[in-house]
Structures are given as structure tokens and as C-alpha cells.
Amino acid sequence: MGHAAGKDLYRRLGEKVDGLSCRAPWNETLREILKGLYSEEEADLLVRMPAGASTIGRLVEAAGLPDARLRTLLEGMAAKGLVVDLCLDGESYFMPAPMVIGFFEFTMMRSGVADVKRLSRLFHDYIEEGGGFYQANFGAGEKVSVMRALPHEEAFRPEVGMEVLDYEKASAIVSAADKAAMGACACRHKARHLGLKPCSVPPGVCTSFGYAADFLIRRGLAREASKREVRDALARSRDLGLVLNADNVRRNVTFICHCCKCCCMALRGIAKHGYPNAVMSSSFICEVAEDRCSGCGACVSACPISAMSLAPRPAVEREALVAEVDQTTCLGCGVCVMKCRDCAASLARRGKRVIHPETTFRKIILGCLERGTLQNQLFAEPGNIGQDFMRAAVGAFLGLSPVKRALMSDALRSVFLKAVEAGARLKGQGWATEL
Ligand code: SF4
Ligand code: SF4
Ligand code: SF4
């Protein structure tokens, strides 16, 4: 294999990464991040890899490398979290890791990363300081985020008898998991290396489940955890007033994050940078019973995204102030409800249904459709002339706003997703639709 270094290998790697499920627009900071993480040989391999999951046999063809060399490279990249591997029914599949959730988190979850301070600064600058990251992923009103808020179960008052589905309960997600892992929180680890005010949350709280936990444990990025440890961590997060942000799927939830407003880049994406869809809301919203509200402001201090405020009462009968919820940004996380001693704040079902993707496959398809990268998943073979043509043609078609809007609409979304799933099954990748 001849390296494509002469044609600016890292620029091509940047294009590849930008075309995955999370957009990563090019700039010189991204170049520095990529150069800090991927050797030239690794960068060259990643550029040649299909966007989706591939067997070793498929990768030998795509990369033009001897089997043994390819395996060595992939093992090294998986240990660094630059590729993700899954072991299903005795077969291994490798896929390029996007930036988020992907090589940003995995790098910051690893121990012994050379130059970690510099990488922390680069990631911070890239994501938060004008690199266009939030804009590229959420700037056009994209709704499908990788994370959704998970309401604290303790925020539901038993006397109300609210129906809460299993995928909306952390306790049910933990009970259903066949494996759990806990590891370093990437955002807090990064913040610590930036020398920011230390966060009071313990660092090892990132919780993952199922095949994601299996990947993280095998690759030394997290440790296996008992369900009891995970439940204890959830209870502590409730007491600390953290937001639980879960994998934005209804089946096979692969993680629950325990997020604070000071470090979490998703919550900062909402509160500091103004992108409310950086986390998809739960199916609930906070409501305030004005007649009970004392205007104490505890909910305002507790809300991590400033969706609560105090407003003057129209007619001052008792207290002068009453809590008000910003309905456009409230995540329905329940953190404020647990701080309200007067039982004035509560969680209610939203009037408009929130549709969380059923599976990871559907989350990726819908997220990529919204972000203009679906063609890379559908025609995933780089360097194949037929697929290159289809990628360009279908990409142009799917990029048309009316087409995108129609496919995301309630009327067509389900039909569209079923058609893509049928296509995956025809290609022998039916297993992926079940993830
Ligand atoms: S999303 Fe939350 S828990 Fe996850 S890495 Fe970031 S701060 Fe940590
Ligand atoms: S915590 Fe409760 S009582 Fe206090 S301002 Fe908020 S809603 Fe009102
Ligand atoms: S208002 Fe309450 S439920 Fe809504 S985001 Fe803030 S803390 Fe969460």
C-alpha cells in the first residue's frame, strides 16, 4: 500500500471523520488533534475503511494490507479508541470511531495518553471555541442527538401515578443490561487538564452497558462494574443534582452519563452555546403549580441549563416571585423537581410526542440524514467507482431540504427506516439493524 501522505493525508482523514455520524468541520485545530492521535499508517487505513462495520476480510480488500499487518494496526487503533470493534456470534467487526461519541471520549477515558494536556486543550478549543462543531451538528435545528435526558425516577411523585416506560427509567435500563462498565468521565477529565475549577463529581462515573461495555472493558477503557455499583452511582448523581443523559435509543441503551453543568460539553452546548438540541429532551417537561410556588429559587439554582427563572407574579397576593419554565429548552430531567420542597415543580408528559429512535441503527440513520452524511453509510466503500457515484448522487438528493423534511416527517420516517433496514439485510448486515 502506498501512503497517501503527499495528498495531505490528515486533510483526507478530516473529511472522512466529518462524514461519519457526528460532523467535525475542518480547521487547523482538527488537524492537530488528528495528528496527535493517528500515525500516518493509521490515518491511511482509516481513510480506506468503509464508514460502517466491516469484517477483517472486507478490510483486507479495502485497505490492500496483508492480513497480519491489518490486524496489528486495528488492535492498536481499537486500544486507542480510534476504531470500535464488536464481537457478535464469533465474528469481529471494526468501524471508524466518530469524534463524538467516539475518539474524543475514548481518548479522555484512557490512562497514560501522551500529551494529554495538549490534547485536552485542542479538544476544548475545537469543540467549544469557535470551531463550528455545535453549529455543524445542531445549527439547522437537527433533532436527533446522541443523548437524551433521562428523568430521575425520584422526580415523579407517587401520588400522581405517572406512566413511565421502561426505556425512560434508569433502574429498568440497569436491570436489563447483560454487562455494565464504569470509566473516567471524558468531559471532567478534559476540564481537569485545562486547569478549570475542580468539579466535585467523582471522575469515574461514566456508565455503559451491553456491547458498548464489552468494547470498553476489552480495550481497557473502562472497568467491569456490578449492577449494584451502577445503582449506587445513580443514587449519588441524584443527590448531587446531576442530569442523567442516556443513549438516545429505546432498545439496548448503551450508556448513561452523569452530567454536571460545569464540565459536560453537551449541557454546555445548550446553556453556554445556545444549541437546545445538543441533548434530546425526555418525553416530560417541568410544570410549576403557581399556587404552591414560594418563589424560593431552589429550582433556578438546580437547573443545569438555566431553563428555570423567577418572574414577578402578575398580581401580588403572597410571594412576589414565581418560578417559570422555558418550555423550548427544558429537558425534562427532573433535577429541579427534586429540589422543590413545596412540591410546586413536577414532571408532566409533553403535549407533543417526543420520538426517540428505537435502535442504534435507526439513531445513526436519522442523525446522518439530518446532518447530510447518510450517503456515506448507504454507499460505504471508498474507492469503489459505482459506490462513489451513488454516494455523490444520493448525497445531493438527500441534501435537498424538502427531501430531508419529508423523510423525517411522521408520515414517511417509519417507511423510510424500514426500507434502509431491508437494504442492510440484503447486504448481509441484518445484525446491525438489531443493535
Ligand atoms: S457527557 Fe456527562 S458523564 Fe458523559 S463524559 Fe460528558 S460530562 Fe461526563
Ligand atoms: S423550588 Fe419550587 S417553590 Fe421554589 S421557586 Fe422553584 S417551583 Fe417555586
Ligand atoms: S427546568 Fe427542571 S426539568 Fe427542565 S431542564 Fe431544568 S432542571 Fe431539568
PDB file of all heavy atoms in Angstrom, residues 157 286-290 292-302 308-310 313 321-325 336-346, ligand 2:
ATOM      1  N   ARG A 157     -43.832  12.111  41.419  1.00  0.00           N
ATOM      2  CA  ARG A 157     -44.497  11.976  42.716  1.00  0.00           C
ATOM      3  C   ARG A 157     -45.442  10.780  42.647  1.00  0.00           C
ATOM      4  O   ARG A 157     -46.294  10.709  41.739  1.00  0.00           O
ATOM      5  CB  ARG A 157     -45.264  13.254  43.049  1.00  0.00           C
ATOM      6  CG  ARG A 157     -44.367  14.492  43.009  1.00  0.00           C
ATOM      7  CD  ARG A 157     -44.971  15.687  43.682  1.00  0.00           C
ATOM      8  NE  ARG A 157     -44.192  16.902  43.386  1.00  0.00           N
ATOM      9  CZ  ARG A 157     -43.010  17.175  43.916  1.00  0.00           C
ATOM     10  NH1 ARG A 157     -42.467  16.363  44.785  1.00  0.00           N
ATOM     11  NH2 ARG A 157     -42.360  18.298  43.581  1.00  0.00           N
ATOM     12  N   CYS A 286     -41.041  20.094  32.770  1.00  0.00           N
ATOM     13  CA  CYS A 286     -41.313  20.572  34.127  1.00  0.00           C
ATOM     14  C   CYS A 286     -42.519  21.531  34.098  1.00  0.00           C
ATOM     15  O   CYS A 286     -42.639  22.363  33.193  1.00  0.00           O
ATOM     16  CB  CYS A 286     -40.079  21.292  34.657  1.00  0.00           C
ATOM     17  SG  CYS A 286     -40.338  21.871  36.339  1.00  0.00           S
ATOM     18  N   GLU A 287     -43.379  21.365  35.074  1.00  0.00           N
ATOM     19  CA  GLU A 287     -44.509  22.291  35.242  1.00  0.00           C
ATOM     20  C   GLU A 287     -44.461  22.848  36.656  1.00  0.00           C
ATOM     21  O   GLU A 287     -44.033  22.154  37.583  1.00  0.00           O
ATOM     22  CB  GLU A 287     -45.837  21.560  35.038  1.00  0.00           C
ATOM     23  CG  GLU A 287     -46.108  21.274  33.577  1.00  0.00           C
ATOM     24  CD  GLU A 287     -47.486  20.647  33.352  1.00  0.00           C
ATOM     25  OE1 GLU A 287     -48.132  20.243  34.346  1.00  0.00           O
ATOM     26  OE2 GLU A 287     -47.886  20.563  32.181  1.00  0.00           O
ATOM     27  N   VAL A 288     -44.925  24.071  36.818  1.00  0.00           N
ATOM     28  CA  VAL A 288     -44.926  24.689  38.148  1.00  0.00           C
ATOM     29  C   VAL A 288     -46.374  25.005  38.542  1.00  0.00           C
ATOM     30  O   VAL A 288     -47.102  25.647  37.779  1.00  0.00           O
ATOM     31  CB  VAL A 288     -44.085  25.987  38.146  1.00  0.00           C
ATOM     32  CG1 VAL A 288     -44.201  26.697  39.491  1.00  0.00           C
ATOM     33  CG2 VAL A 288     -42.629  25.681  37.827  1.00  0.00           C
ATOM     34  N   ALA A 289     -46.751  24.511  39.707  1.00  0.00           N
ATOM     35  CA  ALA A 289     -48.083  24.861  40.243  1.00  0.00           C
ATOM     36  C   ALA A 289     -47.944  26.202  40.959  1.00  0.00           C
ATOM     37  O   ALA A 289     -47.358  26.270  42.049  1.00  0.00           O
ATOM     38  CB  ALA A 289     -48.562  23.777  41.203  1.00  0.00           C
ATOM     39  N   GLU A 290     -48.433  27.237  40.326  1.00  0.00           N
ATOM     40  CA  GLU A 290     -48.177  28.596  40.838  1.00  0.00           C
ATOM     41  C   GLU A 290     -48.716  28.793  42.250  1.00  0.00           C
ATOM     42  O   GLU A 290     -48.133  29.528  43.052  1.00  0.00           O
ATOM     43  CB  GLU A 290     -48.788  29.632  39.892  1.00  0.00           C
ATOM     44  CG  GLU A 290     -48.072  29.661  38.557  1.00  0.00           C
ATOM     45  CD  GLU A 290     -48.464  30.860  37.725  1.00  0.00           C
ATOM     46  OE1 GLU A 290     -49.118  31.773  38.273  1.00  0.00           O
ATOM     47  OE2 GLU A 290     -48.113  30.878  36.538  1.00  0.00           O
ATOM     48  N   ARG A 292     -48.666  26.836  44.613  1.00  0.00           N
ATOM     49  CA  ARG A 292     -47.807  26.249  45.658  1.00  0.00           C
ATOM     50  C   ARG A 292     -46.428  26.897  45.687  1.00  0.00           C
ATOM     51  O   ARG A 292     -45.660  26.693  46.617  1.00  0.00           O
ATOM     52  CB  ARG A 292     -47.606  24.769  45.394  1.00  0.00           C
ATOM     53  CG  ARG A 292     -48.841  23.948  45.615  1.00  0.00           C
ATOM     54  CD  ARG A 292     -48.445  22.495  45.540  1.00  0.00           C
ATOM     55  NE  ARG A 292     -49.599  21.652  45.664  1.00  0.00           N
ATOM     56  CZ  ARG A 292     -49.571  20.338  45.561  1.00  0.00           C
ATOM     57  NH1 ARG A 292     -48.440  19.731  45.333  1.00  0.00           N
ATOM     58  NH2 ARG A 292     -50.668  19.635  45.690  1.00  0.00           N
ATOM     59  N   CYS A 293     -46.050  27.564  44.630  1.00  0.00           N
ATOM     60  CA  CYS A 293     -44.672  28.055  44.497  1.00  0.00           C
ATOM     61  C   CYS A 293     -44.417  29.204  45.475  1.00  0.00           C
ATOM     62  O   CYS A 293     -45.145  30.194  45.490  1.00  0.00           O
ATOM     63  CB  CYS A 293     -44.429  28.518  43.060  1.00  0.00           C
ATOM     64  SG  CYS A 293     -42.785  29.196  42.820  1.00  0.00           S
ATOM     65  N   SER A 294     -43.333  29.056  46.253  1.00  0.00           N
ATOM     66  CA  SER A 294     -42.986  30.098  47.226  1.00  0.00           C
ATOM     67  C   SER A 294     -41.993  31.092  46.652  1.00  0.00           C
ATOM     68  O   SER A 294     -41.581  32.031  47.339  1.00  0.00           O
ATOM     69  CB  SER A 294     -42.386  29.445  48.471  1.00  0.00           C
ATOM     70  OG  SER A 294     -41.170  28.796  48.103  1.00  0.00           O
ATOM     71  N   GLY A 295     -41.548  30.841  45.419  1.00  0.00           N
ATOM     72  CA  GLY A 295     -40.566  31.743  44.807  1.00  0.00           C
ATOM     73  C   GLY A 295     -39.196  31.639  45.456  1.00  0.00           C
ATOM     74  O   GLY A 295     -38.399  32.574  45.404  1.00  0.00           O
ATOM     75  N   CYS A 296     -38.898  30.467  46.034  1.00  0.00           N
ATOM     76  CA  CYS A 296     -37.638  30.320  46.782  1.00  0.00           C
ATOM     77  C   CYS A 296     -36.417  30.290  45.870  1.00  0.00           C
ATOM     78  O   CYS A 296     -35.303  30.564  46.296  1.00  0.00           O
ATOM     79  CB  CYS A 296     -37.677  29.051  47.636  1.00  0.00           C
ATOM     80  SG  CYS A 296     -37.620  27.528  46.645  1.00  0.00           S
ATOM     81  N   GLY A 297     -36.590  29.891  44.623  1.00  0.00           N
ATOM     82  CA  GLY A 297     -35.480  29.904  43.668  1.00  0.00           C
ATOM     83  C   GLY A 297     -34.593  28.664  43.704  1.00  0.00           C
ATOM     84  O   GLY A 297     -33.603  28.589  42.975  1.00  0.00           O
ATOM     85  N   ALA A 298     -34.946  27.661  44.516  1.00  0.00           N
ATOM     86  CA  ALA A 298     -34.106  26.454  44.583  1.00  0.00           C
ATOM     87  C   ALA A 298     -34.039  25.767  43.219  1.00  0.00           C
ATOM     88  O   ALA A 298     -32.995  25.241  42.819  1.00  0.00           O
ATOM     89  CB  ALA A 298     -34.656  25.493  45.631  1.00  0.00           C
ATOM     90  N   CYS A 299     -35.142  25.778  42.491  1.00  0.00           N
ATOM     91  CA  CYS A 299     -35.166  25.130  41.175  1.00  0.00           C
ATOM     92  C   CYS A 299     -34.286  25.889  40.176  1.00  0.00           C
ATOM     93  O   CYS A 299     -33.665  25.278  39.295  1.00  0.00           O
ATOM     94  CB  CYS A 299     -36.602  25.056  40.654  1.00  0.00           C
ATOM     95  SG  CYS A 299     -37.420  26.655  40.637  1.00  0.00           S
ATOM     96  N   VAL A 300     -34.233  27.203  40.336  1.00  0.00           N
ATOM     97  CA  VAL A 300     -33.430  28.020  39.407  1.00  0.00           C
ATOM     98  C   VAL A 300     -31.952  27.674  39.578  1.00  0.00           C
ATOM     99  O   VAL A 300     -31.215  27.501  38.600  1.00  0.00           O
ATOM    100  CB  VAL A 300     -33.676  29.529  39.664  1.00  0.00           C
ATOM    101  CG1 VAL A 300     -32.820  30.386  38.741  1.00  0.00           C
ATOM    102  CG2 VAL A 300     -35.153  29.860  39.490  1.00  0.00           C
ATOM    103  N   SER A 301     -31.512  27.567  40.839  1.00  0.00           N
ATOM    104  CA  SER A 301     -30.105  27.207  41.076  1.00  0.00           C
ATOM    105  C   SER A 301     -29.826  25.789  40.616  1.00  0.00           C
ATOM    106  O   SER A 301     -28.711  25.473  40.199  1.00  0.00           O
ATOM    107  CB  SER A 301     -29.752  27.286  42.563  1.00  0.00           C
ATOM    108  OG  SER A 301     -30.323  28.395  43.146  1.00  0.00           O
ATOM    109  N   ALA A 302     -30.822  24.913  40.709  1.00  0.00           N
ATOM    110  CA  ALA A 302     -30.580  23.496  40.395  1.00  0.00           C
ATOM    111  C   ALA A 302     -30.541  23.228  38.892  1.00  0.00           C
ATOM    112  O   ALA A 302     -29.837  22.324  38.450  1.00  0.00           O
ATOM    113  CB  ALA A 302     -31.683  22.636  41.015  1.00  0.00           C
ATOM    114  N   MET A 308     -34.988  27.455  34.061  1.00  0.00           N
ATOM    115  CA  MET A 308     -35.895  27.944  35.113  1.00  0.00           C
ATOM    116  C   MET A 308     -35.520  29.369  35.454  1.00  0.00           C
ATOM    117  O   MET A 308     -34.331  29.700  35.531  1.00  0.00           O
ATOM    118  CB  MET A 308     -35.699  27.109  36.382  1.00  0.00           C
ATOM    119  CG  MET A 308     -36.565  25.907  36.444  1.00  0.00           C
ATOM    120  SD  MET A 308     -38.224  26.412  36.914  1.00  0.00           S
ATOM    121  CE  MET A 308     -38.944  24.805  37.171  1.00  0.00           C
ATOM    122  N   SER A 309     -36.516  30.186  35.700  1.00  0.00           N
ATOM    123  CA  SER A 309     -36.234  31.553  36.153  1.00  0.00           C
ATOM    124  C   SER A 309     -37.349  31.975  37.097  1.00  0.00           C
ATOM    125  O   SER A 309     -38.381  31.301  37.196  1.00  0.00           O
ATOM    126  CB  SER A 309     -36.156  32.497  34.947  1.00  0.00           C
ATOM    127  OG  SER A 309     -37.364  32.429  34.229  1.00  0.00           O
ATOM    128  N   LEU A 310     -37.121  33.064  37.773  1.00  0.00           N
ATOM    129  CA  LEU A 310     -38.168  33.609  38.637  1.00  0.00           C
ATOM    130  C   LEU A 310     -38.747  34.841  37.961  1.00  0.00           C
ATOM    131  O   LEU A 310     -38.006  35.681  37.441  1.00  0.00           O
ATOM    132  CB  LEU A 310     -37.589  33.990  40.006  1.00  0.00           C
ATOM    133  CG  LEU A 310     -37.170  32.816  40.911  1.00  0.00           C
ATOM    134  CD1 LEU A 310     -36.544  33.329  42.194  1.00  0.00           C
ATOM    135  CD2 LEU A 310     -38.365  31.910  41.235  1.00  0.00           C
ATOM    136  N   ARG A 313     -44.967  37.851  39.932  1.00  0.00           N
ATOM    137  CA  ARG A 313     -46.353  37.382  39.788  1.00  0.00           C
ATOM    138  C   ARG A 313     -47.188  38.512  39.205  1.00  0.00           C
ATOM    139  O   ARG A 313     -46.953  39.687  39.531  1.00  0.00           O
ATOM    140  CB  ARG A 313     -46.926  37.021  41.164  1.00  0.00           C
ATOM    141  CG  ARG A 313     -46.470  35.684  41.676  1.00  0.00           C
ATOM    142  CD  ARG A 313     -47.140  35.384  42.992  1.00  0.00           C
ATOM    143  NE  ARG A 313     -46.592  34.173  43.581  1.00  0.00           N
ATOM    144  CZ  ARG A 313     -47.111  32.966  43.398  1.00  0.00           C
ATOM    145  NH1 ARG A 313     -48.189  32.791  42.662  1.00  0.00           N
ATOM    146  NH2 ARG A 313     -46.560  31.910  43.959  1.00  0.00           N
ATOM    147  N   LEU A 321     -42.573  36.541  43.701  1.00  0.00           N
ATOM    148  CA  LEU A 321     -41.988  35.862  42.547  1.00  0.00           C
ATOM    149  C   LEU A 321     -42.546  34.453  42.384  1.00  0.00           C
ATOM    150  O   LEU A 321     -42.949  33.813  43.367  1.00  0.00           O
ATOM    151  CB  LEU A 321     -40.464  35.776  42.710  1.00  0.00           C
ATOM    152  CG  LEU A 321     -39.720  37.115  42.787  1.00  0.00           C
ATOM    153  CD1 LEU A 321     -38.261  36.892  43.141  1.00  0.00           C
ATOM    154  CD2 LEU A 321     -39.838  37.882  41.463  1.00  0.00           C
ATOM    155  N   VAL A 322     -42.523  34.007  41.158  1.00  0.00           N
ATOM    156  CA  VAL A 322     -42.975  32.635  40.877  1.00  0.00           C
ATOM    157  C   VAL A 322     -42.025  32.028  39.834  1.00  0.00           C
ATOM    158  O   VAL A 322     -41.506  32.730  38.964  1.00  0.00           O
ATOM    159  CB  VAL A 322     -44.442  32.637  40.367  1.00  0.00           C
ATOM    160  CG1 VAL A 322     -44.562  33.335  39.016  1.00  0.00           C
ATOM    161  CG2 VAL A 322     -45.005  31.237  40.280  1.00  0.00           C
ATOM    162  N   ALA A 323     -41.795  30.705  39.960  1.00  0.00           N
ATOM    163  CA  ALA A 323     -40.884  30.038  39.014  1.00  0.00           C
ATOM    164  C   ALA A 323     -41.548  29.886  37.648  1.00  0.00           C
ATOM    165  O   ALA A 323     -42.750  29.619  37.548  1.00  0.00           O
ATOM    166  CB  ALA A 323     -40.487  28.666  39.558  1.00  0.00           C
ATOM    167  N   GLU A 324     -40.734  30.032  36.616  1.00  0.00           N
ATOM    168  CA  GLU A 324     -41.235  29.943  35.236  1.00  0.00           C
ATOM    169  C   GLU A 324     -40.317  29.013  34.448  1.00  0.00           C
ATOM    170  O   GLU A 324     -39.094  29.108  34.570  1.00  0.00           O
ATOM    171  CB  GLU A 324     -41.170  31.340  34.607  1.00  0.00           C
ATOM    172  CG  GLU A 324     -42.376  31.700  33.806  1.00  0.00           C
ATOM    173  CD  GLU A 324     -42.280  33.143  33.349  1.00  0.00           C
ATOM    174  OE1 GLU A 324     -41.231  33.540  32.786  1.00  0.00           O
ATOM    175  OE2 GLU A 324     -43.251  33.861  33.555  1.00  0.00           O
ATOM    176  N   VAL A 325     -40.890  28.132  33.649  1.00  0.00           N
ATOM    177  CA  VAL A 325     -40.095  27.163  32.877  1.00  0.00           C
ATOM    178  C   VAL A 325     -39.993  27.625  31.435  1.00  0.00           C
ATOM    179  O   VAL A 325     -41.004  27.985  30.833  1.00  0.00           O
ATOM    180  CB  VAL A 325     -40.777  25.772  32.885  1.00  0.00           C
ATOM    181  CG1 VAL A 325     -39.919  24.744  32.153  1.00  0.00           C
ATOM    182  CG2 VAL A 325     -41.071  25.319  34.301  1.00  0.00           C
ATOM    183  N   CYS A 336     -34.632  19.812  38.945  1.00  0.00           N
ATOM    184  CA  CYS A 336     -35.244  20.917  39.707  1.00  0.00           C
ATOM    185  C   CYS A 336     -36.370  20.402  40.607  1.00  0.00           C
ATOM    186  O   CYS A 336     -36.556  20.877  41.723  1.00  0.00           O
ATOM    187  CB  CYS A 336     -35.786  21.973  38.750  1.00  0.00           C
ATOM    188  SG  CYS A 336     -37.006  21.312  37.604  1.00  0.00           S
ATOM    189  N   VAL A 337     -37.097  19.402  40.116  1.00  0.00           N
ATOM    190  CA  VAL A 337     -38.254  18.891  40.862  1.00  0.00           C
ATOM    191  C   VAL A 337     -37.803  18.344  42.213  1.00  0.00           C
ATOM    192  O   VAL A 337     -38.445  18.543  43.246  1.00  0.00           O
ATOM    193  CB  VAL A 337     -38.970  17.793  40.043  1.00  0.00           C
ATOM    194  CG1 VAL A 337     -40.121  17.197  40.825  1.00  0.00           C
ATOM    195  CG2 VAL A 337     -39.456  18.361  38.717  1.00  0.00           C
ATOM    196  N   MET A 338     -36.654  17.668  42.195  1.00  0.00           N
ATOM    197  CA  MET A 338     -36.171  17.051  43.434  1.00  0.00           C
ATOM    198  C   MET A 338     -35.712  18.098  44.446  1.00  0.00           C
ATOM    199  O   MET A 338     -35.557  17.796  45.609  1.00  0.00           O
ATOM    200  CB  MET A 338     -35.033  16.074  43.113  1.00  0.00           C
ATOM    201  CG  MET A 338     -35.516  14.899  42.254  1.00  0.00           C
ATOM    202  SD  MET A 338     -34.244  13.647  42.023  1.00  0.00           S
ATOM    203  CE  MET A 338     -32.977  14.561  41.181  1.00  0.00           C
ATOM    204  N   LYS A 339     -35.486  19.316  43.998  1.00  0.00           N
ATOM    205  CA  LYS A 339     -35.041  20.375  44.916  1.00  0.00           C
ATOM    206  C   LYS A 339     -36.205  21.218  45.436  1.00  0.00           C
ATOM    207  O   LYS A 339     -36.024  22.096  46.276  1.00  0.00           O
ATOM    208  CB  LYS A 339     -34.050  21.324  44.201  1.00  0.00           C
ATOM    209  CG  LYS A 339     -32.760  20.660  43.805  1.00  0.00           C
ATOM    210  CD  LYS A 339     -31.887  20.382  45.013  1.00  0.00           C
ATOM    211  CE  LYS A 339     -30.602  19.677  44.602  1.00  0.00           C
ATOM    212  NZ  LYS A 339     -29.915  19.033  45.700  1.00  0.00           N
ATOM    213  N   CYS A 340     -37.388  20.993  44.895  1.00  0.00           N
ATOM    214  CA  CYS A 340     -38.528  21.839  45.266  1.00  0.00           C
ATOM    215  C   CYS A 340     -39.202  21.286  46.525  1.00  0.00           C
ATOM    216  O   CYS A 340     -39.874  20.254  46.477  1.00  0.00           O
ATOM    217  CB  CYS A 340     -39.524  21.909  44.106  1.00  0.00           C
ATOM    218  SG  CYS A 340     -40.985  22.880  44.520  1.00  0.00           S
ATOM    219  N   ARG A 341     -39.016  21.973  47.620  1.00  0.00           N
ATOM    220  CA  ARG A 341     -39.554  21.472  48.906  1.00  0.00           C
ATOM    221  C   ARG A 341     -41.058  21.718  49.025  1.00  0.00           C
ATOM    222  O   ARG A 341     -41.724  21.150  49.871  1.00  0.00           O
ATOM    223  CB  ARG A 341     -38.842  22.190  50.057  1.00  0.00           C
ATOM    224  CG  ARG A 341     -37.368  21.848  50.110  1.00  0.00           C
ATOM    225  CD  ARG A 341     -36.916  21.704  51.554  1.00  0.00           C
ATOM    226  NE  ARG A 341     -35.527  21.258  51.566  1.00  0.00           N
ATOM    227  CZ  ARG A 341     -34.547  21.947  52.099  1.00  0.00           C
ATOM    228  NH1 ARG A 341     -34.788  23.087  52.678  1.00  0.00           N
ATOM    229  NH2 ARG A 341     -33.316  21.483  52.073  1.00  0.00           N
ATOM    230  N   ASP A 342     -41.581  22.608  48.192  1.00  0.00           N
ATOM    231  CA  ASP A 342     -43.009  22.940  48.309  1.00  0.00           C
ATOM    232  C   ASP A 342     -43.886  22.111  47.375  1.00  0.00           C
ATOM    233  O   ASP A 342     -45.082  22.388  47.233  1.00  0.00           O
ATOM    234  CB  ASP A 342     -43.215  24.429  47.981  1.00  0.00           C
ATOM    235  CG  ASP A 342     -42.502  25.303  48.987  1.00  0.00           C
ATOM    236  OD1 ASP A 342     -42.891  25.279  50.164  1.00  0.00           O
ATOM    237  OD2 ASP A 342     -41.528  25.981  48.609  1.00  0.00           O
ATOM    238  N   CYS A 343     -43.254  21.121  46.711  1.00  0.00           N
ATOM    239  CA  CYS A 343     -43.984  20.271  45.752  1.00  0.00           C
ATOM    240  C   CYS A 343     -44.712  21.113  44.698  1.00  0.00           C
ATOM    241  O   CYS A 343     -45.814  20.756  44.258  1.00  0.00           O
ATOM    242  CB  CYS A 343     -44.996  19.370  46.465  1.00  0.00           C
ATOM    243  SG  CYS A 343     -44.216  18.202  47.561  1.00  0.00           S
ATOM    244  N   ALA A 344     -44.101  22.222  44.319  1.00  0.00           N
ATOM    245  CA  ALA A 344     -44.721  23.059  43.281  1.00  0.00           C
ATOM    246  C   ALA A 344     -44.265  22.638  41.884  1.00  0.00           C
ATOM    247  O   ALA A 344     -45.021  22.723  40.919  1.00  0.00           O
ATOM    248  CB  ALA A 344     -44.357  24.519  43.520  1.00  0.00           C
ATOM    249  N   ALA A 345     -43.008  22.181  41.780  1.00  0.00           N
ATOM    250  CA  ALA A 345     -42.489  21.749  40.471  1.00  0.00           C
ATOM    251  C   ALA A 345     -42.754  20.256  40.303  1.00  0.00           C
ATOM    252  O   ALA A 345     -42.628  19.486  41.260  1.00  0.00           O
ATOM    253  CB  ALA A 345     -40.994  22.021  40.385  1.00  0.00           C
ATOM    254  N   SER A 346     -43.146  19.859  39.111  1.00  0.00           N
ATOM    255  CA  SER A 346     -43.372  18.427  38.854  1.00  0.00           C
ATOM    256  C   SER A 346     -43.094  18.137  37.378  1.00  0.00           C
ATOM    257  O   SER A 346     -42.997  19.070  36.557  1.00  0.00           O
ATOM    258  CB  SER A 346     -44.814  18.040  39.189  1.00  0.00           C
ATOM    259  OG  SER A 346     -45.693  18.762  38.352  1.00  0.00           O
TER     260      SER A 346
HETATM  261  S1  SF4 B   2     -38.207  25.343  44.034  1.00  0.00           S
HETATM  262 FE1  SF4 B   2     -40.431  25.074  43.947  1.00  0.00          FE
HETATM  263  S2  SF4 B   2     -41.225  26.608  45.325  1.00  0.00           S
HETATM  264 FE2  SF4 B   2     -39.101  27.200  44.919  1.00  0.00          FE
HETATM  265  S3  SF4 B   2     -39.251  28.601  43.172  1.00  0.00           S
HETATM  266 FE3  SF4 B   2     -38.954  26.584  42.338  1.00  0.00          FE
HETATM  267  S4  SF4 B   2     -41.014  25.804  41.915  1.00  0.00           S
HETATM  268 FE4  SF4 B   2     -41.238  27.551  43.306  1.00  0.00          FE
END
